[in-house]
Amino acid sequence: MKISGYQGIETKRCTYNKNGYTGKGDAHMKNLLIAQSGGPTAAINATVAGIVTGAGASGKIDKIYGAVNGIKGVLEEKFVSLNSVLKDMGCIELLSHTPAAALGSCRFKLDSLEENDEQYRKIGEVLRKYEIGYFIYIGGNDSMDTVDKVSKYAKEHHYEIKVIGIPKTIDNDLMEIDHTPGFGSAAKY
């Protein structure tokens, strides 16, 4: 499915066009890693589609990776190239309307740093290896806990990375939030 009249998004450093996302390899550009966990909802895939579209338009992202099965995929270094999979706006549009969790999911809570610093060292090694400058994690309470822990570890170890949590949960149980995307679609379907 193609979006009629789509011409592409041109930026100084990269192009997102009908042929897919193509980073130009600028030495200052970093890569993006997206992961998702928890209960699958239609909102999770729509969020991935929005992130990929925004990253392509930003001109600041070279490669976009998806971690298969959340933080476990990061620890096991199981990535998919979203630049290749989401080749055109038709693929992105289809993803945005597809329920479930396209990248897979997990119910895995990181140990505290004091209990198991090896998990964090491994995550740091993987993020550096793939030159990840942006890590976006989509999910509920445990996912937001992971975002907090990885962000603190990166800061303590002087690793320049933006770690971003996007709340989506079928349980509607995130602290300090009245309701979250994902709950409504899970309740409806």
Side-chain angles (χ1 to χ4, degrees), residues 42-98:
I44 285 181
N45 286 341
T47 302
V48 172
I51 294 166
V52 170
T53 302
S58 76
K60 296 179 181 180
I61 308 294
D62 189 21
K63 296 176 184 164
I64 305 172
Y65 297 103
V68 177
N69 297 325
I71 196 67
K72 286 180 78 174
V74 177
L75 286 164
E76 297 168 3
E77 214 170 321
K78 291 183 179 177
F79 294 167
V80 61
S81 168
L82 294 178
N83 304 71
S84 300
V85 174
L86 299 174
K87 298 179 244 207
D88 58 41
M89 286 305 292
C91 292
I92 293 172
E93 182 71 17
L94 180 61
L95 176 65
S96 72
H97 296 287
T98 302

Side-chain angles (χ1 to χ4, degrees), residues 76-141:
E76 297 168 3
E77 214 170 321
K78 291 183 179 177
F79 294 167
V80 61
S81 168
L82 294 178
N83 304 71
S84 300
V85 174
L86 299 174
K87 298 179 244 207
D88 58 41
M89 286 305 292
C91 292
I92 293 172
E93 182 71 17
L94 180 61
L95 176 65
S96 72
H97 296 287
T98 302
L103 294 173
S105 186
C106 71
R107 294 272 186 190
F108 183 80
K109 188 171 175 106
L110 290 174
D111 297 329
S112 71
L113 182 59
E114 296 78 26
E115 292 173 331
N116 188 354
D117 67 341
E118 181 57 32
Q119 287 179 330
Y120 298 90
R121 278 201 304 262
K122 176 65 177 171
I123 291 168
E125 288 171 13
V126 170
L127 295 176
R128 282 186 178 92
K129 178 179 177 180
Y130 288 86
E131 299 178 348
I132 303 299
Y134 309 93
F135 175 43
I136 300 177
Y137 205 31
I138 307 164
N141 278 328

Side-chain angles (χ1 to χ4, degrees), residues 37 71 108-110 120 123 135 137 140-152 163:
S37 67
I71 196 67
F108 183 80
K109 188 171 175 106
L110 290 174
Y120 298 90
I123 291 168
F135 175 43
Y137 205 31
N141 278 328
D142 287 344
S143 303
M144 298 307 106
D145 182 64
T146 297
V147 165
D148 183 53
K149 289 174 177 176
V150 171
S151 180
K152 286 178 180 173
V163 183

